[in-house]
C-alpha cells in the first residue's frame, strides 16, 4: 500500500511537471505562430520593403529589429531566390511564410492538447479508485494531438514541392518529420487502446 501511494505521488508530481512544460511549449509556439502570421501579412502588403537574403527575406524595422521569413522549416530548407543576388521568389516566399505559420499553429495545438490531457490525468490520479481514465475526452485529445503531429510534416513537404515547382532549390531530410509522424501514430494507437478500455468499462458497469 505504501509503495502504491509513493508511486501515485510520484506520477502526480511528474504529471504536474509535464503539464507545466506542455503549457510553456504551447504558449511559445502560439507566439511564434502569431509572429509568423504578422510577418506574412506585412510581406503580402508590402513585399518590396523586404530585402532578399537567399535563404530568407528580411525587413529592417527602424534599425531596432528585423522581420524575416526564413526558408527553413522542420527538415526542409528552401532558397527564397531563384539564384544568388536575384529577386525574391514571390511564390516560394508566400508559400513558405504560410507554411511556417500553419506548422507552428499545428504544433501549438498539439502541445495544448497534451497539456489538457496531463491535467485530465492528474485529476484522475488525485481521485484515486473512484474514477476511471477510460474517458472519451482522453481518447479525443490523443486523437487530435496525433493528427496535428502527422499533418505538420505533410505541410512542410507540400511547401517544399511548391518551392521546387516555383524554381527555387533546397534541401530536405526525414529525421524530425519522421519522428513527428511516428509519435503521432503512437498517439493514435494509444487512443485506440483507450477506446477499447472504454468499451470494457461500459461492459463492466453494465454487469454491476
Amino acid at each position: 500500500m505504501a509503495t502504491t501511494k509513493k508511486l501515485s505521488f510520484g506520477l502526480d508530481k511528474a504529471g504536474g511537471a509535464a503539464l507545466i512544460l506542455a503549457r510553456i511549449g504551447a504558449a511559445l509556439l502560439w507566439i511564434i505562430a502569431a509572429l509568423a502570421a504578422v510577418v506574412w501579412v506585412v510581406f503580402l502588403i508590402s513585399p518590396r520593403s523586404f530585402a532578399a537574403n537567399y535563404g530568407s527575406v528580411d525587413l529592417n524595422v527602424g534599425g531596432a529589429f528585423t522581420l524575416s521569413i526564413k526558408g527553413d522549416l522542420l527538415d526542409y530548407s528552401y532558397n527564397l531566390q531563384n539564384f544568388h543576388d536575384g529577386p525574391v521568389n514571390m511564390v516560394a516566399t508566400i508559400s513558405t511564410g504560410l507554411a511556417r505559420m500553419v506548422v507552428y499553429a499545428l504544433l501549438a495545438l498539439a502541445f495544448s492538447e497534451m497539456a489538457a490531457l496531463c491535467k485530465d490525468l492528474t485529476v484522475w490520479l488525485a481521485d484515486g479508485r473512484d474514477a476511471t481514465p477510460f474517458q472519451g475526452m482522453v481518447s479525443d485529445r490523443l486523437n487530435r494531438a496525433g493528427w496535428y503531429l502527422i499533418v505538420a510534416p505533410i505541410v512542410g513537404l507540400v511547401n517544399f514541392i511548391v518551392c521546387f515547382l516555383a524554381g527555387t532549390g533546397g534541401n530536405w531530410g526525414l529525421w524530425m518529420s519522421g519522428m513527428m509522424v511516428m509519435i503521432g501514430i503512437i498517439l493514435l494507437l494509444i487512443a485506440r487502446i483507450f477506446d477499447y478500455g472504454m468499451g470494457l468499462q461500459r461492459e463492466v458497469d453494465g454487469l454491476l
Side-chain angles (χ1 to χ4, degrees), residues 2 13 25 27 29 34 38 52 56 70-71 85 87 91 96 106 113 188 191 194:
K13 290 295 184 182
L29 286 165
V38 169
S56 67
K70 297 186 180 296
D85 292 333
V91 173
T96 298
L106 287 169
E113 290 294 344
L188 294 179
F194 271 84

Side-chain angles (χ1 to χ4, degrees), residues 52-55 79 81-87:
N53 190 22
Y54 207 55
N79 301 325
Q81 298 169 273
N82 290 359
F83 50 89
H84 190 62
D85 292 333

Side-chain angles (χ1 to χ4, degrees), residues 30 101-111 147-149 151-153 155:
W30 278 123
M101 177 176 57
V102 171
V103 167
Y104 285 125
L106 287 169
L107 294 179
L109 288 169
F111 268 75
W147 280 114
Y148 293 146
L149 291 177
V151 172
V155 173

Side-chain angles (χ1 to χ4, degrees), residues 136-148:
M137 61 181 177
V138 173
S139 176
D140 291 342
R141 294 193 193 284
L142 288 168
N143 264 314
R144 288 193 291 267
W147 280 114
Y148 293 146

Side-chain angles (χ1 to χ4, degrees), residues 42-106:
V42 172
F43 181 80
L44 289 180
I45 294 173
S46 182
R48 293 185 179 181
S49 301
F50 285 75
N53 190 22
Y54 207 55
S56 67
V57 292
D58 307 313
L59 172 63
N60 189 286
V61 182
F65 59 92
T66 301
L67 298 177
S68 301
I69 297 179
K70 297 186 180 296
D72 61 80
L73 183 62
L74 300 180
D75 293 313
Y76 307 97
S77 62
Y78 326 93
N79 301 325
L80 300 183
Q81 298 169 273
N82 290 359
F83 50 89
H84 190 62
D85 292 333
V88 174
N89 186 305
M90 292 295 293
V91 173
T93 303
I94 292 173
S95 177
T96 298
L98 179 60
R100 290 176 65 84
M101 177 176 57
V102 171
V103 167
Y104 285 125
L106 287 169

